[in-house]
């Protein structure tokens, strides 16, 4: 049990299981808490009484308080007790310096069992691994354990710090509704059927995007909200169907101002809530093009080097068929250098090749740089100057291994980025005590949706674009750069935002490119488009994923560890058993009938 009583003193002098100190020796006290541990030693019974503030040792002596001692002999872990007694110094040699209350104990004189407890399904006074399903089913017990206690307190402190930071800078916290109309952010909406108007549905917000823009039109020039967002997406390890964002919007700003504000906030949070060293300030800024070029990833982990190197030019005239074909078909050849890996075994190389293939690559070429030669299956097909370009040309020294992929730019980026991360981990290049922040900005505004044959927003459909790129909207929409920026920490996207289109014509033009039919436009975005007609100020904002931020500050690997009541990996609430079937009368009221073929029962 971590003792938090030093970091979390009760301001009002409340007596808790973490508050007693040596200068209170002699005082009569009453403590309430849970039995953390009970030990019977030579007639004395020791109980560690626990609450969220700490632990206090209580001693029952049969000679001094026979009734209390008798009762104490029957209590078990997690019983809730009220103990009356006297504070006294612990005997010489039994002081526990790790505990804030470790210099004292309470001589138990009176004992009341406020409630009993069944034996919990897992031990709460130990930090061992427990099956996550069991933890989630009994989350209220899991939450009593020190790890989650620490994380939930941290989360509270982080959110409080976010509020303080923004309020001190004139931001207003404004709530926006959760029953709204569908706002597209790229995921599927959760729908809520209306009983008043059967056949009609509310949607839960994927984010308060349109509402915060409307607040700008309303003149609340600095808004924030700790906003719950809902996205009905396939679940991944670090996703939840509902999650919390720090949502921000500001009027009269360009990207630089929003990025600067966010950066100062994250510097403050990191310094206050983590001991990790911030790798570089100001946070490095990479354009999307640079991030993809150097790391093959728009959320690069900058805790270590190993950058992608483009060797396409050096290989233009190559007689090695596989490379020549890729290059003439508009593809690329890029490579990374793995330091000291020239002696990797066949098996190790096969493993890396497999990883590249999982990212869509047809294969991966290797060159081992030895003192006397460059060795690898493709070495004999390359000229000396090509070999040189692929080794010394990209910084490979004797003893290093070069991994090269030839494919479309997308596949090259994806596979080399995966290889880079694997190598970083494998070679222990990632310093766990570092926070490497960076901004990635100037994302493409639009990407082509092959299936639907239309352009769609890469981030959100309200992002504005660089003025200088406006002519490209007609000629090459895919090349238009958005005023979009993402904040990245250690390879995780913490959040992002953009400066928006504040003129109706600009926004409509983009909607047209995105292929929304005019009638659908009015239905889905009518309110926002109309509002842009009434003196909408230039504005922009950002939203940061609070779950992920707290996860990284807590040094956890999963956001479920920093959410009081998370869903499991399949999006299920194991404690309440949701989602669940409802009784037919509930469906009747809503005018809904289920398709029996589509119905699933969750076990
Ligand atoms: N609404 C966006 C999101 O949820 C963030 C923003 O652009 O402010 O990702």
């Amino acid at each position: 049990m971590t003792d938090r009583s030093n970091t979390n003193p009760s301001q009002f002098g409340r007596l808790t299981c973490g508050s007693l100190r040596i200068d209170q020796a002699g005082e009569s006290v009453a403590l309430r808490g849970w039995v953390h541990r009970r030990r019977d030693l030579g007639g004395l019974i020791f109980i560690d009484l626990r609450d969220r503030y700490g632990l206090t040792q209580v001693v029952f002596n049969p000679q001094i308080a026979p009734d209390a001692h008798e009762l104490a002999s029957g209590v078990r872990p997690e019983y809730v007790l009220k103990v009356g007694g006297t504070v006294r110094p612990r005997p010489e040699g039994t002081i526990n310096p790790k505990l804030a209350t470790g210099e004292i104990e309470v001589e138990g004189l009176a004992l009341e069992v406020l409630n009993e407890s069944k034996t919990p399904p897992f031990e709460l006074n130990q930090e061992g691994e427990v099956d996550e399903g069991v933890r989630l089913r009994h989350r209220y017990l899991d939450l009593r354990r020190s790890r989650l206690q620490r994380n939930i307190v941290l989360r509270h402190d982080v959110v409080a710090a976010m509020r303080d930071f923004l309020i001190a800078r004139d931001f207003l916290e404004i709530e926006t509704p959760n029953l709204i109309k569908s706002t597209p952010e790229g995921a599927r909406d959760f729908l809520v059927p209306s009983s008043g108007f059967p056949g009609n549905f509310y949607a839960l917000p994927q984010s308060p995007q349109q509402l915060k823009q409307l607040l700008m039109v309303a003149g609340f020039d600095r808004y924030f909200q700790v906003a719950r967002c809902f996205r009905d997406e396939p679940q991944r390890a670090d996703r939840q169907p509902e999650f919390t964002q720090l949502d921000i919007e500001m009027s009269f700003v360009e990207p630089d101002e929003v990025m600067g504000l966010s950066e100062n906030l994250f510097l403050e949070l990191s310094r206050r809530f983590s001991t990790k060293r911030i790798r570089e300030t100001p946070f490095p800024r990479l354009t999307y093009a640079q991030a993809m070029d150097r790391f093959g990833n728009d959320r690069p982990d900058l805790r270590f080097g190993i950058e992608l190197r483009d060797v396409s030019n050096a290989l233009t005239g190559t007689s090695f068929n596989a490379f020549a074909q890729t290059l003439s078909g508009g593809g690329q050849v890029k490579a990374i250098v793995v330091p000291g890996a020239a002696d990797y075994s066949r098996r190790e190389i096969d493993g890396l090749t497999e990883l590249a293939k999982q990212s869509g690559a047809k294969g991966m070429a290797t060159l081992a740089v030895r003192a006397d030669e460059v060795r690898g299956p493709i070495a004999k097909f390359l000229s000396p100057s090509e070999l040189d370009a692929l080794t010394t040309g990209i910084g490979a020294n004797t003893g290093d291994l070069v991994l090269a992929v030839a494919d479309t730019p997308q596949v090259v980026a994806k596979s080399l980025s995966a290889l880079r991360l694997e190598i970083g981990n494998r070679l222990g290049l990632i310093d766990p005590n570092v926070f490497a922040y960076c901004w990635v900005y100037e994302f493409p505004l639009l990407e082509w949706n092959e299936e639907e044959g239309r352009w769609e927003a890469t981030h959100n459909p309200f992002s504005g674009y660089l003025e200088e790129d406006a002519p490209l909207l007609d000629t090459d929409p895919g090349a238009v750069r958005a005023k979009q920026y993402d904040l990245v920490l250690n390879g995780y996207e913490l959040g992002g935002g953009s400066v928006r289109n504040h003129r109706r014509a600009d926004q409509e033009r983009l909607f047209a490119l995105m292929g929304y039919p005019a009638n659908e436009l009015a239905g889905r975005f009518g309110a926002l488009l109309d509002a842009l007609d009434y003196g909408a100020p230039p504005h922009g904002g950002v939203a940061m994923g609070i779950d992920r931020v707290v996860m990284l500050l807590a040094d956890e690997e999963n956001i479920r560890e920093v959410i009081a009541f998370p869903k499991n990996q399949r999006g299920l609430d194991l404690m309440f058993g949701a989602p669940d079937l409802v009784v037919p009368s509930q469906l009747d009221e809503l005018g809904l009938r289920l398709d029996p073929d589509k119905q699933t029962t969750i076990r």
Side-chain angles (χ1 to χ4, degrees):
M1 166 101 195
T2 325
D3 191 63
R4 278 173 309 279
S5 37
N6 274 336
T7 51
N8 233 338
S10 184
Q11 277 186 32
F12 304 105
R14 229 157 34 87
L15 194 55
T16 68
C17 293
S19 65
L20 290 171
R21 298 290 181 273
I22 190 75
D23 46 356
Q24 277 142 298
E27 285 181 20
S28 294
V29 293
L31 289 180
R32 294 166 188 78
W34 286 261
V35 175
H36 191 62
R37 203 172 275 122
R38 195 198 77 202
R39 299 180 305 280
D40 291 19
L41 293 179
L44 298 179
I45 294 176
F46 291 84
I47 289 178
D48 286 340
L49 202 63
R50 183 197 74 230
D51 62 16
R52 83 166 180 88
Y53 304 94
L55 287 181
T56 299
Q57 173 166 295
V58 185
V59 190
F60 293 95
N61 183 330
Q63 257 83 56
I64 295 173
D67 292 350
H69 178 272
E70 169 72 22
L71 246 182
S73 68
V75 307
R76 309 229 304 265
E78 303 309 312
Y79 274 34
V80 191
L81 306 184
K82 179 179 175 188
V83 172
T86 316
V87 184
R88 68 178 188 204
R90 287 199 191 191
E92 201 67 42
T94 64
I95 288 172
N96 181 352
K98 283 194 229 133
L99 216 54
T101 62
E103 284 186 275
I104 58 97
E105 61 190 10
V106 169
E107 163 109 69
L109 301 175
L111 175 61
E112 195 182 325
V113 174
L114 300 178
N115 210 347
E116 299 183 354
S117 170
K118 287 208 231 173
T119 304
F122 46 91
E123 291 193 82
L124 306 189
N125 55 16
Q126 270 157 47
E127 281 307 298
E129 279 301 311
V130 179
D131 173 71
E132 200 187 18
V134 179
R135 290 176 58 198
L136 291 176
R137 237 179 307 263
H138 302 274
R139 190 61 160 182
Y140 43 89
L141 294 180
D142 197 21
L143 283 165
R144 284 187 195 164
R145 301 207 297 168
S146 61
R147 173 181 179 184
L148 287 192
Q149 292 258 315
R150 191 174 33 203
N151 290 351
I152 297 300
V153 171
L154 174 69
R155 184 180 179 117
H156 163 87
D157 291 346
V158 169
V159 172
M162 288 171 164
R163 287 200 157 97
D164 289 347
F165 179 94
L166 292 168
I167 291 168
R169 287 162 181 77
D170 284 345
F171 283 80
L172 290 181
E173 181 169 13
I174 305 176
E175 287 172 86
T176 55
N178 277 342
L179 291 176
I180 62 164
K181 191 178 169 99
S182 191
T183 68
E185 294 269 352
R188 190 185 304 143
D189 284 322
F190 279 105
L191 297 177
V192 183
S194 152
S195 65
F197 304 93
N200 294 274
F201 293 80
Y202 297 100
L204 301 181
Q206 294 185 31
S207 85
Q209 182 63 38
Q210 293 191 62
L211 290 153
K212 66 173 171 174
Q213 292 192 236
L214 292 169
L215 286 171
M216 295 305 109
V217 181
F220 293 106
D221 64 329
R222 294 183 147 222
Y223 142 95
F224 82 96
Q225 180 177 197
V226 177
R228 196 56 69 82
C229 305
F230 305 85
R231 297 184 192 178
D232 190 3
E233 293 179 296
Q235 296 307 302
R236 288 208 314 243
D238 65 343
R239 285 258 172 93
Q240 287 276 306
E242 56 178 308
F243 58 95
T244 314
Q245 281 186 343
L246 176 66
D247 196 40
I248 293 176
E249 195 77 7
M250 304 156 81
S251 291
F252 311 111
V253 287
E254 282 299 330
D256 203 44
E257 199 172 339
V258 187
M259 291 157 86
L261 175 99
S262 313
E263 185 159 331
N264 285 334
L265 170 61
F266 277 87
L267 283 172
E268 181 170 319
L269 296 178
S270 309
R271 287 176 182 146
R272 243 175 97 179
F273 299 111
S274 173
T275 52
K276 298 198 184 195
R277 181 172 62 79
I278 298 173
R279 188 179 161 273
E280 193 179 339
T281 57
F283 300 165
R285 293 184 183 188
L286 304 173
T287 63
Y288 171 82
Q290 289 167 336
M292 294 307 287
D293 182 45
R294 292 171 54 190
F295 303 98
N297 199 314
D298 60 5
R299 44 184 173 80
D301 189 338
L302 296 191
R303 284 175 297 177
F304 65 106
I306 305 200
E307 299 196 11
L308 279 51
R309 303 294 299 269
D310 194 338
V311 286
S312 310
N313 280 342
L315 293 168
T316 25
T318 185
S319 47
F320 177 46
N321 243 333
F323 285 176
Q325 275 175 9
T326 303
L327 290 172
S328 64
Q332 290 180 327
V333 185
K334 289 177 93 168
I336 56 174
V337 177
V338 187
D343 290 327
Y344 267 17
S345 65
R346 189 69 259 149
R347 256 188 72 222
E348 283 172 298
I349 292 193
D350 286 349
L352 294 173
T353 308
E354 193 44 44
L355 195 64
K357 286 185 174 167
Q358 282 165 14
S359 304
K362 289 181 283 297
M364 180 190 80
T366 56
L367 291 170
V369 186
R370 299 178 189 274
D372 47 349
E373 59 168 349
V374 174
R375 213 181 285 173
I378 64 161
K380 58 176 177 290
F381 303 113
L382 299 173
S383 71
S385 70
E386 288 166 353
L387 269 183
D388 208 46
L390 257 167
T391 52
T392 32
I394 58 170
N397 297 314
T398 303
D400 294 348
L401 179 71
V402 172
L403 310 179
V405 175
D407 219 304
T408 62
Q410 293 83 344
V411 169
V412 168
K414 196 165 171 211
S415 50
L416 283 180
S417 161
L419 288 169
R420 174 181 179 268
L421 282 178
E422 170 61 27
I423 297 302
N425 279 309
R426 194 180 287 197
L427 299 186
L429 302 177
I430 299 179
D431 182 345
N433 296 314
V434 162
F435 272 160
Y437 282 100
C438 70
W439 286 102
V440 177
Y441 68 116
E442 290 184 2
F443 284 82
L445 180 72
L446 300 162
E447 63 194 344
W448 184 247
N449 182 328
E450 201 65 63
E451 255 165 57
E452 297 178 23
R454 63 181 185 91
W455 291 101
E456 65 186 10
T458 63
H459 280 74
N460 88 48
F462 312 105
S463 297
Y465 49 87
L466 302 188
E467 283 82 11
E468 67 210 74
D469 287 356
L472 293 171
L473 281 173
D474 294 320
T475 55
D476 187 5
V480 177
R481 290 164 297 169
K483 288 189 177 176
Q484 168 79 36
Y485 30 81
D486 282 359
L487 182 59
V488 176
L489 171 57
N490 294 357
Y492 288 94
E493 183 197 322
L494 294 185
S498 63
V499 165
R500 331 290 180 185
N501 302 296
H502 69 282
R503 289 201 194 89
R504 180 174 185 138
D506 294 336
Q507 186 61 60
E508 276 183 335
R509 178 152 185 227
L510 291 183
F511 281 146
L513 263 176
M514 293 179 221
Y516 289 109
N519 56 350
E520 206 181 303
L521 262 192
R524 285 176 93 165
F525 305 111
L528 181 68
L529 287 174
D530 285 349
L532 296 184
D533 271 339
Y534 292 95
H539 60 280
V542 71
M544 299 295 178
I546 289 182
D547 309 292
R548 213 171 268 179
V549 169
V550 178
M551 174 187 95
L552 290 165
L553 290 171
D555 223 352
E556 290 285 3
E557 280 177 8
N558 192 303
I559 56 171
R560 296 192 290 278
E561 302 297 349
V562 299
I563 298 174
F565 296 105
K567 311 279 188 287
N568 78 354
Q569 250 162 315
R570 296 166 63 209
L572 301 178
D573 173 342
L574 296 181
M575 197 173 56
F576 286 121
D580 199 3
L581 305 174
V582 293
V583 295
S585 63
Q586 285 178 291
L587 293 176
D588 283 347
E589 277 167 8
L590 297 165
L592 296 178
R593 201 157 295 132
L594 295 179
D595 177 349
D597 292 341
K598 287 210 160 172
Q599 218 167 310
T600 17
T601 314
I602 307 163
R603 259 163 302 152

